[in-house]
Amino acid sequence: MSEPNQPPRILLAEDEEAMRTYLVRALENAGYEVDSVDRGTLAVPLLEDSHYDLLLSDIVMPEMDGIELAQKCNEISPATQVMFITGFAAVSLRASADQPRAKVLSKPFHLRDLVMEVDRVFQDRKEASL
């Protein structure tokens, strides 16, 4: 987890530029530090070089989808939480040894709902560490 006085760090992987811009703005306005990329293959080196508290990833992206990215994230940085955003409501994810458990938020969603879910991830994590 980030240092006590540092805001939680989020890595956002979203291929749709307008959505990425809105999400970054909403999360930064809520007090989070956000780095964003437009594909999973660009997220991997960031996960290797920096610490992130949360990976927020679209599921359907070019080059590397969000599921593959989450698996890579789990290998590189197992302490990083994962949350998916997707426009495909029918996508269902089951936890398994090679697929980390993750919250799924279906598009369209209100930015307020996204921030609330992200806040909940960090609140649950904080309570679990007490």
Side-chain angles (χ1 to χ4, degrees), residues 13-58:
E14 164 62 64
D15 61 321
E16 188 181 317
E17 186 177 354
M19 175 66 81
R20 191 171 61 252
T21 301
Y22 288 127
L23 296 178
V24 167
R25 186 177 306 139
L27 292 166
E28 287 177 345
N29 287 343
Y32 296 107
E33 185 179 316
V34 183
D35 290 332
S36 65
V37 294
D38 67 355
R39 62 196 68 227
T41 51
L42 295 177
V44 172
L46 293 175
L47 287 166
E48 291 171 339
D49 295 340
S50 299
H51 169 76
Y52 291 95
D53 298 295
L54 176 67
L55 169 64
L56 180 59
S57 177
D58 192 359

Coordinates of all heavy atoms in Angstrom, one line a residue, residues 13-58:
A13 N -5.8 1.0 -17.4 CA -5.6 0.5 -18.7 C -7.0 0.5 -19.4 O -7.8 -0.3 -19.1 CB -5.0 -0.9 -18.7
E14 N -7.1 1.5 -20.3 CA -8.4 1.6 -21.1 C -8.1 2.1 -22.5 O -7.4 3.1 -22.6 CB -9.3 2.7 -20.3 CG -10.4 3.2 -21.1 CD -11.5 2.2 -21.5 OE1 -12.1 1.6 -20.6 OE2 -11.7 2.0 -22.7
D15 N -8.5 1.4 -23.5 CA -8.2 1.7 -24.9 C -9.0 2.8 -25.5 O -8.5 3.5 -26.4 CB -8.2 0.5 -25.8 CG -9.6 -0.2 -25.8 OD1 -10.3 -0.2 -24.8 OD2 -10.0 -0.6 -26.9
E16 N -10.1 3.1 -24.9 CA -11.0 4.2 -25.5 C -10.6 5.5 -24.8 O -10.7 5.8 -23.6 CB -12.5 3.9 -25.1 CG -13.4 4.8 -25.8 CD -14.9 4.5 -25.4 OE1 -15.2 3.3 -25.4 OE2 -15.6 5.4 -25.1
E17 N -10.1 6.4 -25.7 CA -9.5 7.7 -25.2 C -10.4 8.5 -24.4 O -10.0 9.0 -23.3 CB -8.9 8.5 -26.4 CG -8.1 9.7 -25.9 CD -7.5 10.5 -27.1 OE1 -7.6 10.0 -28.2 OE2 -7.0 11.6 -26.8
A18 N -11.6 8.7 -24.8 CA -12.6 9.6 -24.1 C -12.9 9.0 -22.7 O -12.9 9.7 -21.7 CB -13.9 9.8 -24.9
M19 N -13.1 7.7 -22.7 CA -13.4 7.0 -21.4 C -12.2 7.2 -20.5 O -12.3 7.5 -19.3 CB -13.7 5.6 -21.7 CG -13.9 4.8 -20.4 SD -15.3 5.3 -19.4 CE -16.6 4.4 -20.3
R20 N -11.0 6.9 -21.0 CA -9.7 7.0 -20.2 C -9.6 8.4 -19.6 O -9.3 8.6 -18.4 CB -8.5 6.7 -21.1 CG -7.2 6.5 -20.3 CD -6.1 5.9 -21.2 NE -5.8 6.8 -22.3 CZ -6.0 6.5 -23.5 NH1 -6.7 5.4 -23.9 NH2 -5.7 7.4 -24.5
T21 N -9.9 9.5 -20.4 CA -9.8 10.9 -20.0 C -10.7 11.1 -18.8 O -10.4 11.7 -17.8 CB -10.0 11.8 -21.1 OG1 -9.1 11.6 -22.1 CG2 -9.9 13.3 -20.7
Y22 N -12.0 10.7 -19.0 CA -13.0 10.9 -17.9 C -12.7 10.2 -16.7 O -12.8 10.7 -15.6 CB -14.4 10.4 -18.4 CG -15.0 11.3 -19.5 CD1 -15.5 10.7 -20.7 CD2 -15.2 12.7 -19.3 CE1 -16.1 11.5 -21.6 CE2 -15.8 13.5 -20.2 CZ -16.2 12.9 -21.4 OH -16.8 13.7 -22.4
L23 N -12.2 8.9 -16.8 CA -11.9 8.1 -15.6 C -10.7 8.7 -14.9 O -10.7 8.8 -13.6 CB -11.5 6.7 -16.0 CG -12.7 5.9 -16.6 CD1 -12.2 4.5 -17.0 CD2 -13.9 5.8 -15.7
V24 N -9.6 9.2 -15.6 CA -8.5 9.8 -14.9 C -8.9 11.0 -14.2 O -8.6 11.2 -13.0 CB -7.4 10.1 -15.9 CG1 -6.3 11.0 -15.3 CG2 -6.7 8.9 -16.5
R25 N -9.7 11.9 -14.8 CA -10.2 13.1 -14.2 C -11.0 12.8 -12.9 O -10.8 13.4 -11.9 CB -11.0 13.9 -15.2 CG -11.4 15.3 -14.6 CD -12.2 16.1 -15.6 NE -11.4 16.2 -16.9 CZ -12.0 16.2 -18.1 NH1 -13.3 16.0 -18.2 NH2 -11.3 16.3 -19.1
A26 N -11.9 11.9 -13.0 CA -12.8 11.5 -11.8 C -11.9 11.0 -10.7 O -12.1 11.3 -9.5 CB -13.8 10.5 -12.2
L27 N -11.0 10.1 -11.0 CA -10.2 9.5 -9.9 C -9.2 10.5 -9.3 O -9.0 10.5 -8.1 CB -9.4 8.3 -10.5 CG -10.3 7.1 -10.9 CD1 -9.5 6.1 -11.7 CD2 -10.9 6.4 -9.6
E28 N -8.6 11.4 -10.1 CA -7.7 12.4 -9.6 C -8.5 13.4 -8.7 O -8.1 13.8 -7.7 CB -7.0 13.1 -10.7 CG -5.9 12.3 -11.4 CD -5.2 12.9 -12.5 OE1 -5.7 13.9 -13.1 OE2 -4.1 12.4 -12.9
N29 N -9.7 13.7 -9.2 CA -10.6 14.6 -8.4 C -11.0 14.0 -7.0 O -11.2 14.7 -6.1 CB -11.9 15.0 -9.2 CG -11.6 16.0 -10.3 OD1 -10.5 16.7 -10.3 ND2 -12.5 16.1 -11.2
A30 N -11.0 12.7 -7.0 CA -11.3 12.0 -5.8 C -10.1 11.8 -4.9 O -10.1 11.2 -3.8 CB -11.9 10.6 -6.1
G31 N -8.9 12.3 -5.4 CA -7.7 12.2 -4.5 C -6.7 11.1 -4.8 O -5.8 10.9 -4.1
Y32 N -6.9 10.4 -5.9 CA -6.0 9.3 -6.3 C -5.0 9.8 -7.2 O -5.2 10.7 -8.0 CB -6.8 8.1 -6.9 CG -7.8 7.5 -5.9 CD1 -9.1 7.7 -6.1 CD2 -7.3 6.7 -4.9 CE1 -10.0 7.1 -5.2 CE2 -8.2 6.2 -4.0 CZ -9.6 6.4 -4.1 OH -10.4 5.8 -3.3
E33 N -3.8 9.1 -7.2 CA -2.7 9.4 -8.1 C -2.9 8.4 -9.3 O -3.0 7.2 -9.0 CB -1.4 9.2 -7.5 CG -0.2 9.6 -8.3 CD 1.1 9.4 -7.6 OE1 1.2 9.8 -6.5 OE2 2.0 8.9 -8.2
V34 N -3.1 8.8 -10.5 CA -3.4 7.9 -11.6 C -2.4 8.0 -12.7 O -2.1 9.1 -13.2 CB -4.8 8.3 -12.2 CG1 -5.2 7.3 -13.2 CG2 -5.9 8.3 -11.0
D35 N -1.9 6.9 -13.2 CA -1.2 6.8 -14.5 C -2.1 6.0 -15.4 O -2.8 5.1 -15.0 CB 0.1 6.0 -14.3 CG 1.1 6.7 -13.5 OD1 1.1 8.0 -13.5 OD2 2.0 6.1 -12.8
S36 N -2.1 6.4 -16.7 CA -3.0 5.7 -17.6 C -2.3 5.3 -18.9 O -1.4 6.0 -19.3 CB -4.2 6.5 -17.9 OG -3.9 7.7 -18.6
V37 N -2.7 4.2 -19.5 CA -2.2 3.7 -20.7 C -3.4 3.2 -21.6 O -4.5 2.9 -21.0 CB -1.2 2.5 -20.5 CG1 0.0 3.0 -19.8 CG2 -1.9 1.4 -19.7
D38 N -3.2 3.1 -22.9 CA -4.3 2.6 -23.7 C -4.2 1.2 -24.1 O -5.0 0.7 -25.0 CB -4.3 3.5 -25.0 CG -3.1 3.3 -25.9 OD1 -2.2 2.6 -25.5 OD2 -3.1 4.0 -27.0
R39 N -3.3 0.4 -23.5 CA -3.3 -1.0 -23.8 C -2.5 -1.8 -22.7 O -1.6 -1.2 -22.0 CB -2.7 -1.3 -25.2 CG -1.2 -0.8 -25.3 CD -0.7 -0.7 -26.7 NE -1.5 0.3 -27.4 CZ -2.0 0.2 -28.6 NH1 -1.9 -0.9 -29.3 NH2 -2.7 1.2 -29.1
G40 N -2.8 -3.0 -22.5 CA -2.2 -3.8 -21.5 C -0.7 -4.0 -21.7 O 0.1 -4.0 -20.7
T41 N -0.2 -4.0 -22.9 CA 1.2 -4.2 -23.1 C 2.0 -3.0 -22.6 O 3.2 -3.1 -22.3 CB 1.6 -4.4 -24.6 OG1 0.9 -3.4 -25.4 CG2 1.1 -5.8 -25.1
L42 N 1.4 -1.8 -22.6 CA 2.1 -0.6 -22.0 C 2.0 -0.6 -20.5 O 2.8 0.1 -19.8 CB 1.5 0.6 -22.6 CG 1.7 0.9 -24.1 CD1 1.0 2.1 -24.6 CD2 3.2 0.9 -24.4
A43 N 1.0 -1.3 -19.9 CA 0.9 -1.3 -18.5 C 1.9 -2.2 -17.8 O 2.4 -1.9 -16.7 CB -0.5 -1.8 -18.1
V44 N 2.3 -3.3 -18.5 CA 3.2 -4.3 -17.8 C 4.6 -3.6 -17.4 O 5.0 -3.8 -16.2 CB 3.5 -5.5 -18.8 CG1 4.6 -6.4 -18.2 CG2 2.2 -6.3 -19.0
P45 N 5.3 -2.8 -18.2 CA 6.5 -2.2 -17.8 C 6.3 -1.3 -16.6 O 7.1 -1.2 -15.7 CB 7.0 -1.4 -18.9 CG 6.2 -1.9 -20.1 CD 5.0 -2.5 -19.6
L46 N 5.1 -0.6 -16.5 CA 4.8 0.3 -15.4 C 4.7 -0.5 -14.1 O 5.1 -0.1 -13.1 CB 3.6 1.1 -15.7 CG 3.7 2.2 -16.8 CD1 2.4 2.8 -17.1 CD2 4.8 3.2 -16.5
L47 N 4.0 -1.7 -14.2 CA 3.8 -2.5 -13.1 C 5.2 -3.1 -12.6 O 5.4 -3.2 -11.4 CB 2.9 -3.7 -13.4 CG 1.4 -3.4 -13.5 CD1 0.7 -4.5 -14.2 CD2 0.8 -3.0 -12.2
E48 N 6.1 -3.3 -13.5 CA 7.4 -3.8 -13.1 C 8.3 -2.7 -12.5 O 9.1 -3.0 -11.6 CB 8.1 -4.3 -14.4 CG 7.5 -5.6 -14.9 CD 8.1 -6.0 -16.3 OE1 8.7 -5.2 -17.0 OE2 7.9 -7.2 -16.6
D49 N 8.1 -1.4 -12.9 CA 8.9 -0.3 -12.4 C 8.4 0.5 -11.3 O 9.1 1.2 -10.6 CB 9.2 0.6 -13.6 CG 10.0 0.0 -14.7 OD1 10.7 -1.1 -14.5 OD2 10.0 0.5 -15.8
S50 N 7.1 0.4 -11.0 CA 6.5 1.2 -10.0 C 5.5 0.4 -9.1 O 5.0 -0.6 -9.6 CB 5.7 2.4 -10.6 OG 6.6 3.2 -11.4
H51 N 5.2 1.0 -8.0 CA 4.1 0.3 -7.1 C 2.8 0.9 -7.4 O 2.7 2.2 -7.4 CB 4.5 0.5 -5.7 CG 3.3 0.0 -4.8 ND1 3.0 -1.3 -4.6 CD2 2.4 0.8 -4.1 CE1 1.9 -1.4 -3.8 NE2 1.6 -0.1 -3.5
Y52 N 1.8 0.1 -7.6 CA 0.4 0.6 -7.8 C -0.4 -0.2 -6.7 O -0.3 -1.4 -6.5 CB -0.1 0.3 -9.2 CG 0.5 1.2 -10.2 CD1 1.6 0.7 -10.9 CD2 0.1 2.5 -10.4 CE1 2.3 1.6 -11.8 CE2 0.8 3.3 -11.3 CZ 1.8 2.9 -12.0 OH 2.5 3.7 -12.9
D53 N -1.4 0.5 -6.1 CA -2.3 -0.1 -5.2 C -3.5 -0.8 -5.9 O -4.0 -1.7 -5.4 CB -2.8 1.0 -4.2 CG -1.7 1.6 -3.4 OD1 -1.1 0.9 -2.6 OD2 -1.4 2.8 -3.6
L54 N -3.8 -0.3 -7.1 CA -4.9 -0.8 -7.9 C -4.6 -0.8 -9.3 O -4.2 0.3 -9.9 CB -6.2 0.0 -7.6 CG -7.5 -0.3 -8.4 CD1 -8.0 -1.7 -8.0 CD2 -8.5 0.7 -8.2
L55 N -4.9 -1.9 -10.0 CA -5.0 -1.9 -11.5 C -6.4 -1.9 -11.9 O -7.2 -2.7 -11.5 CB -4.3 -3.2 -12.0 CG -4.5 -3.5 -13.5 CD1 -3.9 -2.4 -14.4 CD2 -4.0 -4.9 -13.8
L56 N -6.8 -0.8 -12.6 CA -8.2 -0.7 -13.1 C -8.1 -0.8 -14.6 O -7.5 0.0 -15.3 CB -8.7 0.7 -12.7 CG -10.1 1.1 -13.2 CD1 -11.1 0.1 -12.6 CD2 -10.4 2.5 -12.8
S57 N -8.7 -1.9 -15.1 CA -8.4 -2.3 -16.5 C -9.7 -2.6 -17.2 O -10.6 -3.3 -16.7 CB -7.5 -3.5 -16.6 OG -7.3 -3.9 -17.9
D58 N -9.8 -2.2 -18.5 CA -10.9 -2.6 -19.4 C -10.5 -4.1 -19.7 O -9.4 -4.5 -19.6 CB -10.8 -1.8 -20.6 CG -12.0 -2.0 -21.5 OD1 -12.9 -2.8 -21.2 OD2 -12.1 -1.3 -22.6

